[in-house]
Amino acid sequence: MLRIRQVTHLAKLLETPPEQLAVIAESASDYCEELILLDPAKPKPREVLCINGELRRIQKLLLTKVLMPKLKPSRFNHGGVKKRHIKTNLAQHKSSRFAITFDIADFYPSIDRVRVYKLFAQRMACSPDVARLLTRVCTYDHHLALGMITSPFLADQIVAGIDGRIAGACSRLGLTYSRYVDDLTISGHFDLESSGIEAMVAKILRDHGFRLNIHKTDAGRLSDGLSITKLRLRNGQPDVERTYLSELKRLLKDAAALGRNEPFEGPYYTRDQLVAKVRHVCWINPRRATELKRLIRAVPWRGVKANALAKGLVATKKRLLSNATQSTGN
């Protein structure tokens, strides 16, 4: 609990004069740039914010010096939490046979400024003036937003109540529950597809002002390769999805063909990009290292660079574009 009752106290914690803090809070949107994230691996662009200047500094101080020392993350959340990640999330379910996964629709936009204000004023016991100022500093377009430094932590605090309800129901049924930001997973020893679990989760989310993305619910046997946050269990150990692994091998062989000036299918990735993908797979499953490193060594990288330049190939990568530029088509 924060219990910050005076704006002057908050300003001291954020290393900013009270008058300056008030001005920044009132004009917070001036420090935000709307961007569009274009990811070749995903068909739908995502809107993100780039936070600049004094607002970025204040948000970072608020997170690291005020929120994190006083408040604990949900024990069920493995996203954006120190020493937790997609592997620890998957590990919660390694003893289960079946699982069902869900996605919360419009996660950050669903957390509007009223909910953020109540979090600061009621749960964190801040005065109304402090809660209003913090709400302005931590929201954009009247809600939490992707790209704001404080959004993952505040969202976790708000969803912790949902975690408690779902986990409690799962415990009574002998099931295991975990969350990775807005991805929920429930697992157990019986088939969950027609068990009524989905209806239960949907109701709990509705009670808290959220809804399921019905197009992203998936269920099945873990031994059949059911994906949990883009990972699967293979012989009880974490591994990447089959499609990811097969595509990575194809890309490495394709890069070798490009280096020898042989027919090249594409898309084109640089050496650094492909090495990063290999390192990711090896982190998930170290047993993949021998084969993938052999494929990396088999690529004539000087030839790749020279032939890519000669063919005018442009590396495939994520891009951030200004939302204004994107909307005008410039």
Side-chain angles (χ1 to χ4, degrees), residues 210-251:
F210 293 95
R211 60 186 178 85
L212 284 179
N213 184 337
I214 59 175
H215 302 294
K216 291 190 175 181
T217 298
D218 198 9
R221 289 179 179 268
L222 288 168
S223 60
D224 291 339
L226 179 71
S227 175
I228 297 176
T229 53
K230 304 295 184 182
L231 300 182
R232 63 184 171 117
L233 284 168
R234 180 172 175 267
N235 299 324
Q237 298 301 316
D239 202 358
V240 294
E241 295 174 314
R242 292 188 184 93
T243 53
Y244 186 93
L245 182 63
S246 61
E247 176 63 6
L248 177 55
K249 290 179 181 179
R250 186 196 69 79
L251 289 171

Side-chain angles (χ1 to χ4, degrees), residues 13-230:
L13 292 172
L14 299 180
E15 303 174 10
T16 307
E19 299 80 6
Q20 183 183 357
L21 183 59
V23 170
I24 293 170
E26 287 294 334
S27 58
S29 61
D30 294 343
Y31 298 88
C32 302
E33 181 184 6
E34 294 183 357
L35 300 174
I36 299 294
L37 176 62
L38 301 177
D39 186 346
K42 297 179 181 179
K44 185 179 178 181
R46 301 181 71 185
E47 293 184 0
V48 299
L49 282 183
C50 179
I51 311 302
N52 303 299
E54 284 297 289
L55 182 62
R56 185 174 187 85
R57 182 185 67 84
I58 287 171
Q59 284 197 352
K60 186 174 182 179
L61 286 171
L62 175 61
L63 178 64
T64 59
K65 303 294 185 181
V66 180
L67 297 175
M68 292 178 68
K70 292 284 188 178
L71 303 166
K72 292 183 178 180
S74 168
R75 66 188 181 94
F76 300 100
N77 179 28
H78 293 259
V81 180
K82 190 176 182 179
K83 295 184 179 180
R84 302 184 204 169
H85 39 69
I86 53 176
K87 286 176 68 174
T88 61
N89 184 57
L90 179 67
Q92 307 307 303
H93 308 280
K94 65 184 300 182
S95 299
S96 298
R97 294 175 58 201
F98 297 88
I100 184 167
T101 61
F102 309 98
D103 177 84
I104 302 176
D106 300 320
F107 185 53
Y108 286 140
S110 296
I111 305 175
D112 62 26
R113 63 180 180 180
V114 174
R115 300 173 77 166
V116 176
Y117 174 82
K118 288 181 178 179
L119 175 67
F120 285 123
Q122 298 175 8
R123 290 256 310 277
M124 300 185 186
C126 295
S127 69
D129 285 347
V130 170
R132 279 193 290 270
L133 192 150
L134 287 172
T135 300
R136 292 192 187 101
V137 166
C138 296
T139 58
Y140 178 80
D141 196 20
H142 312 301
H143 58 73
L144 293 187
L146 182 65
M148 280 194 154
I149 297 171
T150 51
S151 287
F153 191 91
L154 295 177
D156 178 72
Q157 294 294 308
I158 288 172
V159 177
I162 295 174
D163 288 342
R165 285 187 63 184
I166 296 177
C170 287
S171 179
R172 291 189 290 273
L173 295 169
L175 301 173
T176 299
Y177 167 72
S178 74
R179 176 170 60 85
Y180 187 87
V181 188
D182 58 349
D183 294 322
L184 319 179
T185 302
I186 295 173
S187 68
H189 293 288
F190 58 90
D191 193 347
L192 301 172
E193 187 168 10
S194 302
S195 63
I197 295 296
E198 181 176 357
M200 177 198 76
V201 171
K203 181 183 185 305
I204 291 173
L205 289 177
R206 285 197 305 271
D207 290 347
H208 290 261
F210 293 95
R211 60 186 178 85
L212 284 179
N213 184 337
I214 59 175
H215 302 294
K216 291 190 175 181
T217 298
D218 198 9
R221 289 179 179 268
L222 288 168
S223 60
D224 291 339
L226 179 71
S227 175
I228 297 176
T229 53
K230 304 295 184 182

